[in-house]
């Protein structure tokens, strides 16, 4: 009986959503290359594709967008909960709390292929409003509903940043939302599936996913990768920092390595290119150059062990350039991945709804009598 450490190479479901070729570094959603979707589609079109299986006609896209926009309005009690959370709270904590609270509206929840997707669209809208308000709340602003603008990325940005967003910022956010949208069954999606396999509701299953995403080995790496660049300070300091921290102290290089990719993560390459296009300030440009140098040192050291930069290595530089603080990066990852979690939840419950119940191999003491213990 073999234990699979970290569930490595354990298959828990069939999926028609996302395919990953870890050797070649290829990622496809419903058969389309991620590079093509980022170049030619919007987040709304790709979200529709993941939920329904095909890219939408203009008419279906309009209906889908209307459902997303319904979710921009949060229930009053959720707005109050967000307002009452301490401003020092992590953005993901606000996300988890809001989603756990919204499950209150799901007391008579029942799975149904007819309504899951409609409900998912509204939840994806709620996610934009919750994450936008997490950014507003931690930066001292009031909680509001998002305003429809014809673009999910634009409505999210303008609500979160409390200002008009320019076309370039909207395009970067839209592409980031596509890049992080799904990735088969990483720890967070698996957590969502375990929850929904017990017939728990969608909101609670998303809250379970967020709890798993938070850690620095998973979504938390988006923030910890950026903090490395900040600590290093400039390209000229990279070699010294790398030797002291990664070689001598054997710290993990955050934003590097992947359970599935044994080459460059294709998403990383797209983020790296986007960073070049969007970075404006000398400070952000210096961060990007530091990251480039750190990538070179990391690939030189770990490339021979098939450890390469992943999607979290460069994403933070783009998020910072469009105005988000570091402690929002993982919440932005969660915002995008909400669609992937919901698509996997629906797919699982519509095709193989069995409760997930693995086993543990017992290594404790053999059977023993509970004799009257004299020296109690
Ligand atoms: C995401 O799974 C997904 O799809 C996740 C994700 C998604 O879209 O949902 O892609 C998003 O979470 C990306 C990963 C973000 N995390 C980080 O960047 C944190 C740093 N990375 C590592 O902790 C690690 O690479 C993991 C967690 C990503 C993967 O862990 P594994 O598969 O358990 O690999 P491992 O720890 O067993 O490492 C294998 C070898 C070891 O060397 P040996 O002991 O065999 O000599 O590779 C080395 C490790 O030391 N290694 C690293 C390293 N990652 C692996 N060495 C230094 N720095 C690293 N980052």
């Amino acid at each position: 009986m073999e234990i699979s450490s970290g569930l490595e190479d354990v298959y828990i479901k069939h999926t028609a959503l996302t395919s990953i070729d870890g050797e070649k570094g290829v990622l496809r959603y419903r058969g389309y290359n991620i590079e093509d979707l980022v170049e030619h589609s919007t987040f709304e079109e790709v979200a529709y594709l993941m939920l329904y299986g095909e890219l939408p006609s203009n008419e279906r896209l309009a209906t889908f967008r209307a459902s997303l926009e319904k979710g921009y309005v949060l229930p009053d009690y959720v707005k109050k909960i967000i307002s009452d959370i301490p401003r020092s709270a992590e953005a993901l904590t606000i996300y988890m709390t809001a989603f756990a609270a919204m499950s209150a509206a799901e007391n008579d929840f029942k799975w149904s292929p007819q309504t899951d997707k409609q409900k998912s669209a509204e939840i994806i809208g709620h996610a934009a409003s919750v994450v936008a308000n997490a950014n507003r709340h931690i930066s001292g602003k009031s909680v509001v509903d998002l305003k429809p603008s014809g673009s999910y990325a634009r409505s999210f940005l303008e609500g979160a940043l409390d200002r008009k967003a320019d076309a370039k910022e909207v395009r970067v956010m839209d592409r980031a939302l596509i890049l992080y949208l799904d990735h088969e069954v990483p720890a967070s999606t698996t957590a969502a599936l375990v929850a929904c396999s017990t017939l728990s509701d969608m909101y609670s299953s998303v809250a379970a996913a967020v709890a798993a995403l938070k850690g620095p080995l998973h979504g938390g790496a988006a923030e910890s990768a950026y903090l490395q660049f900040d600590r290093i300070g400039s390209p000229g300091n990279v070699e010294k920092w790398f030797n002291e921290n990664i070689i001598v102290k054997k710290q993990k290089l955050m934003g590097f390595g992947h359970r599935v990719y044994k080459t460059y993560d294709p998403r990383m390459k797209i983020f790296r290119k986007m960073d070049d296009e969007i970075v404006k300030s000398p400070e952000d440009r210096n961060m990007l150059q530091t990251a480039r140098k750190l990538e070179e040192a990391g690939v030189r050291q770990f490339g021979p062990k098939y450890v390469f930069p992943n999607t979290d290595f460069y994403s933070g530089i783009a998020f910072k350039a469009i105005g988000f603080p570091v402690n929002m990066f993982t919440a932005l990852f969660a915002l995008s991945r909400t669609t992937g979690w919901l698509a996997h939840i629906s797919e699982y419950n519509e095709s193989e709804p069995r409760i997930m119940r693995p086993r543990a191999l017992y290594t404790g003491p053999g059977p023993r009598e509970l004799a009257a213990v004299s020296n109690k």
Side-chain angles (χ1 to χ4, degrees):
M1 194 70 71
E2 273 300 298
I3 305 285
S4 166
S5 153
L7 297 184
E8 184 148 21
D9 293 335
V10 169
Y11 288 77
I12 61 168
K13 73 179 287 227
H14 295 94
T15 187
L17 295 169
T18 295
S19 57
I20 305 173
D21 181 329
E23 301 304 321
K24 298 198 184 88
V26 177
L27 170 61
R28 294 193 182 96
Y29 295 159
R30 299 275 195 193
Y32 294 107
N33 280 335
I34 189 73
E35 295 82 358
D36 296 339
L37 291 170
V38 165
E39 195 54 39
H40 304 296
S41 304
T42 63
F43 166 74
E44 291 92 321
E45 289 167 330
V46 181
Y48 184 97
L49 168 71
M50 290 303 261
L51 290 172
Y52 290 92
E54 296 300 336
L55 286 163
S57 62
N58 288 338
E59 191 191 344
R60 290 202 168 147
L61 181 59
T63 310
F64 183 64
R65 183 173 280 125
S67 303
L68 293 173
E69 290 169 353
K70 252 177 78 190
Y72 290 173
V73 178
L74 290 174
D76 286 342
Y77 75 93
V78 175
K79 287 206 271 275
K80 185 168 178 332
I81 287 170
I82 295 176
S83 309
D84 289 349
I85 290 183
R87 289 194 194 283
S88 56
E90 288 191 55
L92 267 195
T93 302
I94 297 173
Y95 191 111
M96 223 177 347
T97 310
F99 266 72
M102 284 191 279
S103 66
E106 298 288 317
N107 292 332
D108 57 349
F109 179 76
K110 289 276 175 302
W111 288 103
S112 137
Q114 288 67 40
T115 58
D116 288 358
K117 296 171 183 65
Q118 174 73 24
K119 181 186 283 287
S120 294
E122 204 174 314
I123 294 176
I124 294 165
H126 278 342
S129 198
V130 167
V131 176
N133 278 301
N135 190 58
R136 294 175 65 89
H137 184 60
I138 56 183
S139 48
K141 295 195 175 78
S142 60
V143 175
V144 297
D145 292 326
L146 296 190
K147 293 192 185 66
S149 67
S151 150
Y152 183 87
R154 177 180 295 284
S155 292
F156 168 69
L157 276 184
E158 294 188 345
L161 302 175
D162 205 26
R163 64 168 171 80
K164 280 288 172 213
D166 68 35
K168 212 172 188 182
E169 292 169 327
V170 173
R171 193 73 189 108
V172 165
M173 191 68 228
D174 196 73
R175 288 176 164 174
L177 287 166
I178 294 171
L179 285 165
Y180 268 121
L181 195 146
D182 190 52
H183 210 239
E184 200 210 60
V185 285
S188 52
T189 312
T190 302
L193 290 169
V194 171
C196 81
S197 76
T198 69
L199 299 188
S200 182
D201 66 275
M202 283 179 153
Y203 287 105
S204 304
S205 303
V206 168
V210 175
L213 185 76
K214 206 164 176 233
L217 294 188
H218 192 6
E223 296 177 10
S224 45
Y226 186 88
L227 291 173
Q228 291 173 148
F229 314 145
D230 204 27
R231 258 183 240 115
I232 293 169
S234 74
N237 293 341
V238 165
E239 288 303 332
K240 180 170 176 294
W241 181 89
F242 191 85
N243 288 321
E244 280 171 11
N245 294 280
I246 308 298
I247 306 295
V248 173
K249 290 184 192 159
K250 299 210 177 311
Q251 286 173 6
K252 283 190 185 297
L253 183 56
M254 301 314 275
F256 257 67
H258 201 277
R259 177 64 59 79
V260 179
Y261 289 121
K262 298 309 162 197
T263 183
Y264 285 92
D265 180 331
R267 301 166 295 175
M268 179 287 294
K269 294 179 189 172
I270 300 169
F271 267 119
R272 187 173 56 190
K273 185 164 171 287
M274 265 192 339
D275 290 352
D276 241 358
E277 293 160 8
I278 189 73
V279 155
K280 292 187 286 266
S281 74
E283 183 217 359
D284 290 345
R285 180 60 58 188
N286 173 62
M287 279 298 172
L288 179 54
Q289 285 157 353
T290 303
R292 298 299 295 258
K293 281 298 273 179
L294 187 59
E295 177 195 344
E296 282 167 25
V299 171
R300 194 177 52 241
Q301 179 70 21
F302 298 116
K305 283 168 58 169
Y306 304 105
V307 174
F308 289 91
N310 60 54
T311 187
D312 292 331
F313 192 75
Y314 283 106
S315 57
I317 290 179
F319 292 145
K320 175 78 169 42
I322 53 181
F324 287 102
V326 182
N327 62 355
M328 274 297 296
F329 294 173
T330 307
L332 296 172
F333 181 154
L335 169 60
S336 166
R337 188 57 58 86
T338 299
T339 300
W341 292 329
L342 291 165
H344 277 283
I345 287 171
S346 298
E347 185 180 58
Y348 187 78
N349 277 291
E350 287 166 19
S351 55
E352 41 204 341
R354 280 199 84 206
I355 189 167
M356 290 199 180
R357 202 285 187 206
R359 294 297 307 277
L361 208 51
Y362 181 70
T363 56
R368 49 184 170 167
E369 293 304 319
L370 184 63
V373 179
S374 54
N375 56 352
K376 252 186 187 165

mmCIF file of all heavy atoms in Angstrom, residues 82-83 85-94 131-143 160 223 324-329 331:
data_model
loop_
_atom_site.group_PDB
_atom_site.id
_atom_site.type_symbol
_atom_site.label_atom_id
_atom_site.label_comp_id
_atom_site.label_asym_id
_atom_site.label_seq_id
_atom_site.Cartn_x
_atom_site.Cartn_y
_atom_site.Cartn_z
ATOM 1 N N ILE A 82 -18.112 43.248 5.658
ATOM 2 C CA ILE A 82 -16.824 43.730 5.125
ATOM 3 C C ILE A 82 -16.426 45.020 5.842
ATOM 4 O O ILE A 82 -15.284 45.191 6.277
ATOM 5 C CB ILE A 82 -16.899 43.943 3.598
ATOM 6 C CG1 ILE A 82 -17.132 42.606 2.876
ATOM 7 C CG2 ILE A 82 -15.617 44.613 3.082
ATOM 8 C CD1 ILE A 82 -17.325 42.718 1.371
ATOM 9 N N SER A 83 -17.392 45.923 6.032
ATOM 10 C CA SER A 83 -17.083 47.212 6.702
ATOM 11 C C SER A 83 -16.607 47.002 8.135
ATOM 12 O O SER A 83 -15.797 47.766 8.629
ATOM 13 C CB SER A 83 -18.327 48.103 6.733
ATOM 14 O OG SER A 83 -18.878 48.210 5.471
ATOM 15 N N ILE A 85 -14.969 44.341 9.373
ATOM 16 C CA ILE A 85 -13.711 43.576 9.547
ATOM 17 C C ILE A 85 -12.567 44.574 9.804
ATOM 18 O O ILE A 85 -12.514 45.620 9.165
ATOM 19 C CB ILE A 85 -13.424 42.734 8.281
ATOM 20 C CG1 ILE A 85 -14.447 41.582 8.178
ATOM 21 C CG2 ILE A 85 -12.000 42.189 8.294
ATOM 22 C CD1 ILE A 85 -14.214 40.643 7.004
ATOM 23 N N PRO A 86 -11.635 44.273 10.712
ATOM 24 C CA PRO A 86 -10.504 45.191 10.941
ATOM 25 C C PRO A 86 -9.781 45.510 9.627
ATOM 26 O O PRO A 86 -9.583 44.607 8.793
ATOM 27 C CB PRO A 86 -9.587 44.421 11.888
ATOM 28 C CG PRO A 86 -10.448 43.389 12.532
ATOM 29 C CD PRO A 86 -11.544 43.062 11.550
ATOM 30 N N ARG A 87 -9.372 46.761 9.457
ATOM 31 C CA ARG A 87 -8.714 47.159 8.204
ATOM 32 C C ARG A 87 -7.363 46.454 8.039
ATOM 33 O O ARG A 87 -6.803 46.386 6.964
ATOM 34 C CB ARG A 87 -8.509 48.685 8.157
ATOM 35 C CG ARG A 87 -9.804 49.428 7.975
ATOM 36 C CD ARG A 87 -9.591 50.889 7.594
ATOM 37 N NE ARG A 87 -10.823 51.654 7.747
ATOM 38 C CZ ARG A 87 -11.848 51.619 6.893
ATOM 39 N NH1 ARG A 87 -11.797 50.834 5.845
ATOM 40 N NH2 ARG A 87 -12.946 52.333 7.107
ATOM 41 N N SER A 88 -6.863 45.872 9.137
ATOM 42 C CA SER A 88 -5.549 45.176 9.051
ATOM 43 C C SER A 88 -5.723 43.751 8.513
ATOM 44 O O SER A 88 -4.761 43.038 8.288
ATOM 45 C CB SER A 88 -4.948 45.085 10.457
ATOM 46 O OG SER A 88 -5.897 44.424 11.303
ATOM 47 N N ALA A 89 -6.998 43.340 8.284
ATOM 48 C CA ALA A 89 -7.246 41.948 7.838
ATOM 49 C C ALA A 89 -6.639 41.718 6.454
ATOM 50 O O ALA A 89 -6.541 42.638 5.640
ATOM 51 C CB ALA A 89 -8.738 41.674 7.779
ATOM 52 N N GLU A 90 -6.209 40.483 6.198
ATOM 53 C CA GLU A 90 -5.724 40.146 4.851
ATOM 54 C C GLU A 90 -6.902 40.144 3.883
ATOM 55 O O GLU A 90 -8.013 39.740 4.259
ATOM 56 C CB GLU A 90 -5.097 38.751 4.877
ATOM 57 C CG GLU A 90 -3.759 38.690 5.591
ATOM 58 C CD GLU A 90 -3.071 37.344 5.338
ATOM 59 O OE1 GLU A 90 -2.900 36.991 4.160
ATOM 60 O OE2 GLU A 90 -2.740 36.679 6.315
ATOM 61 N N ALA A 91 -6.637 40.527 2.648
ATOM 62 C CA ALA A 91 -7.712 40.598 1.639
ATOM 63 C C ALA A 91 -8.380 39.231 1.469
ATOM 64 O O ALA A 91 -9.603 39.128 1.330
ATOM 65 C CB ALA A 91 -7.125 41.073 0.315
ATOM 66 N N LEU A 92 -7.567 38.151 1.548
ATOM 67 C CA LEU A 92 -8.162 36.812 1.374
ATOM 68 C C LEU A 92 -9.065 36.455 2.548
ATOM 69 O O LEU A 92 -10.044 35.716 2.391
ATOM 70 C CB LEU A 92 -7.068 35.750 1.242
ATOM 71 C CG LEU A 92 -6.614 35.394 -0.168
ATOM 72 C CD1 LEU A 92 -5.833 34.111 -0.140
ATOM 73 C CD2 LEU A 92 -7.745 35.295 -1.161
ATOM 74 N N THR A 93 -8.750 36.979 3.722
ATOM 75 C CA THR A 93 -9.606 36.728 4.897
ATOM 76 C C THR A 93 -10.969 37.380 4.674
ATOM 77 O O THR A 93 -12.009 36.803 4.972
ATOM 78 C CB THR A 93 -8.927 37.297 6.155
ATOM 79 O OG1 THR A 93 -7.639 36.686 6.286
ATOM 80 C CG2 THR A 93 -9.751 37.038 7.405
ATOM 81 N N ILE A 94 -10.944 38.585 4.099
ATOM 82 C CA ILE A 94 -12.211 39.281 3.784
ATOM 83 C C ILE A 94 -12.994 38.453 2.762
ATOM 84 O O ILE A 94 -14.201 38.228 2.901
ATOM 85 C CB ILE A 94 -11.920 40.702 3.248
ATOM 86 C CG1 ILE A 94 -11.232 41.546 4.328
ATOM 87 C CG2 ILE A 94 -13.208 41.371 2.752
ATOM 88 C CD1 ILE A 94 -10.753 42.912 3.873
ATOM 89 N N VAL A 131 -13.828 41.403 -3.847
ATOM 90 C CA VAL A 131 -12.385 41.694 -3.909
ATOM 91 C C VAL A 131 -12.150 43.188 -4.116
ATOM 92 O O VAL A 131 -11.244 43.780 -3.513
ATOM 93 C CB VAL A 131 -11.698 40.853 -5.015
ATOM 94 C CG1 VAL A 131 -10.221 41.215 -5.139
ATOM 95 C CG2 VAL A 131 -11.838 39.366 -4.705
ATOM 96 N N ALA A 132 -12.999 43.834 -4.893
ATOM 97 C CA ALA A 132 -12.852 45.294 -5.066
ATOM 98 C C ALA A 132 -13.037 45.980 -3.712
ATOM 99 O O ALA A 132 -12.268 46.875 -3.335
ATOM 100 C CB ALA A 132 -13.875 45.815 -6.074
ATOM 101 N N ASN A 133 -14.029 45.515 -2.968
ATOM 102 C CA ASN A 133 -14.284 46.135 -1.658
ATOM 103 C C ASN A 133 -13.238 45.744 -0.625
ATOM 104 O O ASN A 133 -12.977 46.516 0.305
ATOM 105 C CB ASN A 133 -15.700 45.777 -1.189
ATOM 106 C CG ASN A 133 -16.731 46.694 -1.840
ATOM 107 O OD1 ASN A 133 -16.671 47.925 -1.679
ATOM 108 N ND2 ASN A 133 -17.616 46.134 -2.644
ATOM 109 N N ALA A 134 -12.598 44.607 -0.794
ATOM 110 C CA ALA A 134 -11.483 44.265 0.111
ATOM 111 C C ALA A 134 -10.382 45.303 -0.067
ATOM 112 O O ALA A 134 -9.838 45.832 0.911
ATOM 113 C CB ALA A 134 -10.949 42.862 -0.207
ATOM 114 N N ASN A 135 -10.092 45.656 -1.329
ATOM 115 C CA ASN A 135 -9.052 46.669 -1.571
ATOM 116 C C ASN A 135 -9.483 48.030 -1.042
ATOM 117 O O ASN A 135 -8.690 48.747 -0.417
ATOM 118 C CB ASN A 135 -8.751 46.764 -3.078
ATOM 119 C CG ASN A 135 -7.507 47.620 -3.342
ATOM 120 O OD1 ASN A 135 -6.432 47.312 -2.829
ATOM 121 N ND2 ASN A 135 -7.666 48.704 -4.092
ATOM 122 N N ARG A 136 -10.744 48.371 -1.252
ATOM 123 C CA ARG A 136 -11.258 49.670 -0.745
ATOM 124 C C ARG A 136 -11.177 49.697 0.770
ATOM 125 O O ARG A 136 -10.686 50.637 1.377
ATOM 126 C CB ARG A 136 -12.703 49.879 -1.199
ATOM 127 C CG ARG A 136 -12.875 50.044 -2.696
ATOM 128 C CD ARG A 136 -14.347 50.128 -3.049
ATOM 129 N NE ARG A 136 -14.942 51.330 -2.481
ATOM 130 C CZ ARG A 136 -14.980 52.522 -3.107
ATOM 131 N NH1 ARG A 136 -14.449 52.636 -4.320
ATOM 132 N NH2 ARG A 136 -15.522 53.579 -2.539
ATOM 133 N N HIS A 137 -11.620 48.601 1.391
ATOM 134 C CA HIS A 137 -11.688 48.578 2.869
ATOM 135 C C HIS A 137 -10.300 48.688 3.481
ATOM 136 O O HIS A 137 -10.064 49.517 4.367
ATOM 137 C CB HIS A 137 -12.389 47.296 3.337
ATOM 138 C CG HIS A 137 -12.593 47.218 4.810
ATOM 139 N ND1 HIS A 137 -13.340 48.149 5.516
ATOM 140 C CD2 HIS A 137 -12.117 46.342 5.731
ATOM 141 C CE1 HIS A 137 -13.338 47.833 6.798
ATOM 142 N NE2 HIS A 137 -12.607 46.747 6.966
ATOM 143 N N ILE A 138 -9.329 47.890 2.965
ATOM 144 C CA ILE A 138 -7.998 47.944 3.608
ATOM 145 C C ILE A 138 -7.272 49.251 3.286
ATOM 146 O O ILE A 138 -6.304 49.601 3.947
ATOM 147 C CB ILE A 138 -7.122 46.715 3.251
ATOM 148 C CG1 ILE A 138 -6.935 46.499 1.763
ATOM 149 C CG2 ILE A 138 -7.658 45.471 3.899
ATOM 150 C CD1 ILE A 138 -6.117 45.228 1.427
ATOM 151 N N SER A 139 -7.802 49.974 2.261
ATOM 152 C CA SER A 139 -7.158 51.282 2.019
ATOM 153 C C SER A 139 -8.024 52.423 2.566
ATOM 154 O O SER A 139 -7.903 53.570 2.158
ATOM 155 C CB SER A 139 -6.861 51.475 0.523
ATOM 156 O OG SER A 139 -7.978 51.152 -0.255
ATOM 157 N N GLY A 140 -8.962 52.070 3.479
ATOM 158 C CA GLY A 140 -9.690 53.106 4.219
ATOM 159 C C GLY A 140 -10.890 53.698 3.510
ATOM 160 O O GLY A 140 -11.420 54.732 3.914
ATOM 161 N N LYS A 141 -11.370 53.051 2.432
ATOM 162 C CA LYS A 141 -12.532 53.609 1.708
ATOM 163 C C LYS A 141 -13.809 52.836 2.074
ATOM 164 O O LYS A 141 -13.755 51.728 2.606
ATOM 165 C CB LYS A 141 -12.288 53.532 0.202
ATOM 166 C CG LYS A 141 -11.107 54.417 -0.262
ATOM 167 C CD LYS A 141 -11.129 54.591 -1.766
ATOM 168 C CE LYS A 141 -10.050 55.557 -2.215
ATOM 169 N NZ LYS A 141 -8.712 54.889 -2.239
ATOM 170 N N SER A 142 -14.957 53.447 1.693
ATOM 171 C CA SER A 142 -16.263 52.828 2.020
ATOM 172 C C SER A 142 -16.521 51.646 1.081
ATOM 173 O O SER A 142 -15.945 51.542 0.001
ATOM 174 C CB SER A 142 -17.358 53.871 1.800
ATOM 175 O OG SER A 142 -17.312 54.269 0.432
ATOM 176 N N VAL A 143 -17.453 50.783 1.526
ATOM 177 C CA VAL A 143 -17.853 49.610 0.730
ATOM 178 C C VAL A 143 -18.966 50.022 -0.240
ATOM 179 O O VAL A 143 -19.914 50.707 0.159
ATOM 180 C CB VAL A 143 -18.336 48.485 1.677
ATOM 181 C CG1 VAL A 143 -18.871 47.302 0.895
ATOM 182 C CG2 VAL A 143 -17.179 48.041 2.581
ATOM 183 N N ALA A 160 -12.476 48.978 -7.422
ATOM 184 C CA ALA A 160 -11.393 48.681 -6.463
ATOM 185 C C ALA A 160 -10.496 49.895 -6.237
ATOM 186 O O ALA A 160 -10.097 50.214 -5.130
ATOM 187 C CB ALA A 160 -10.562 47.506 -6.974
ATOM 188 N N GLU A 223 2.407 36.944 -3.656
ATOM 189 C CA GLU A 223 2.895 38.045 -2.812
ATOM 190 C C GLU A 223 4.346 37.792 -2.394
ATOM 191 O O GLU A 223 5.182 38.682 -2.475
ATOM 192 C CB GLU A 223 1.980 38.192 -1.584
ATOM 193 C CG GLU A 223 0.564 38.597 -2.009
ATOM 194 C CD GLU A 223 -0.451 38.698 -0.885
ATOM 195 O OE1 GLU A 223 -0.051 38.639 0.290
ATOM 196 O OE2 GLU A 223 -1.645 38.847 -1.193
ATOM 197 N N PHE A 324 -2.302 48.123 -7.376
ATOM 198 C CA PHE A 324 -2.664 47.321 -6.199
ATOM 199 C C PHE A 324 -1.466 47.163 -5.261
ATOM 200 O O PHE A 324 -0.341 46.983 -5.715
ATOM 201 C CB PHE A 324 -3.170 45.939 -6.630
ATOM 202 C CG PHE A 324 -4.536 45.981 -7.251
ATOM 203 C CD1 PHE A 324 -4.699 45.905 -8.627
ATOM 204 C CD2 PHE A 324 -5.671 46.145 -6.457
ATOM 205 C CE1 PHE A 324 -5.962 45.969 -9.207
ATOM 206 C CE2 PHE A 324 -6.939 46.212 -7.025
ATOM 207 C CZ PHE A 324 -7.089 46.133 -8.400
ATOM 208 N N PRO A 325 -1.741 47.153 -3.926
ATOM 209 C CA PRO A 325 -0.666 46.888 -2.969
ATOM 210 C C PRO A 325 -0.342 45.394 -2.963
ATOM 211 O O PRO A 325 -1.176 44.572 -3.381
ATOM 212 C CB PRO A 325 -1.284 47.317 -1.639
ATOM 213 C CG PRO A 325 -2.759 47.132 -1.800
ATOM 214 C CD PRO A 325 -3.049 47.413 -3.249
ATOM 215 N N VAL A 326 0.831 45.029 -2.467
ATOM 216 C CA VAL A 326 1.264 43.624 -2.487
ATOM 217 C C VAL A 326 0.246 42.724 -1.780
ATOM 218 O O VAL A 326 -0.042 41.618 -2.237
ATOM 219 C CB VAL A 326 2.655 43.469 -1.816
ATOM 220 C CG1 VAL A 326 3.135 42.027 -1.880
ATOM 221 C CG2 VAL A 326 3.663 44.380 -2.478
ATOM 222 N N ASN A 327 -0.354 43.211 -0.701
ATOM 223 C CA ASN A 327 -1.253 42.314 0.065
ATOM 224 C C ASN A 327 -2.604 42.105 -0.610
ATOM 225 O O ASN A 327 -3.515 41.546 -0.007
ATOM 226 C CB ASN A 327 -1.429 42.823 1.498
ATOM 227 C CG ASN A 327 -2.092 44.204 1.531
ATOM 228 O OD1 ASN A 327 -2.332 44.803 0.484
ATOM 229 N ND2 ASN A 327 -2.373 44.697 2.727
ATOM 230 N N MET A 328 -2.715 42.524 -1.881
ATOM 231 C CA MET A 328 -3.918 42.239 -2.656
ATOM 232 C C MET A 328 -3.651 41.176 -3.730
ATOM 233 O O MET A 328 -4.581 40.671 -4.373
ATOM 234 C CB MET A 328 -4.425 43.510 -3.342
ATOM 235 C CG MET A 328 -5.324 44.362 -2.480
ATOM 236 S SD MET A 328 -6.865 43.537 -2.009
ATOM 237 C CE MET A 328 -7.639 43.341 -3.629
ATOM 238 N N PHE A 329 -2.379 40.828 -3.973
ATOM 239 C CA PHE A 329 -2.064 40.009 -5.155
ATOM 240 C C PHE A 329 -2.768 38.649 -5.119
ATOM 241 O O PHE A 329 -3.315 38.196 -6.116
ATOM 242 C CB PHE A 329 -0.548 39.787 -5.270
ATOM 243 C CG PHE A 329 0.265 41.034 -5.538
ATOM 244 C CD1 PHE A 329 1.647 40.985 -5.528
ATOM 245 C CD2 PHE A 329 -0.333 42.260 -5.783
ATOM 246 C CE1 PHE A 329 2.427 42.118 -5.765
ATOM 247 C CE2 PHE A 329 0.426 43.409 -6.019
ATOM 248 C CZ PHE A 329 1.807 43.332 -6.008
ATOM 249 N N ALA A 331 -5.448 37.833 -3.546
ATOM 250 C CA ALA A 331 -6.904 38.031 -3.691
ATOM 251 C C ALA A 331 -7.261 38.218 -5.171
ATOM 252 O O ALA A 331 -8.321 37.780 -5.632
ATOM 253 C CB ALA A 331 -7.354 39.239 -2.876
#
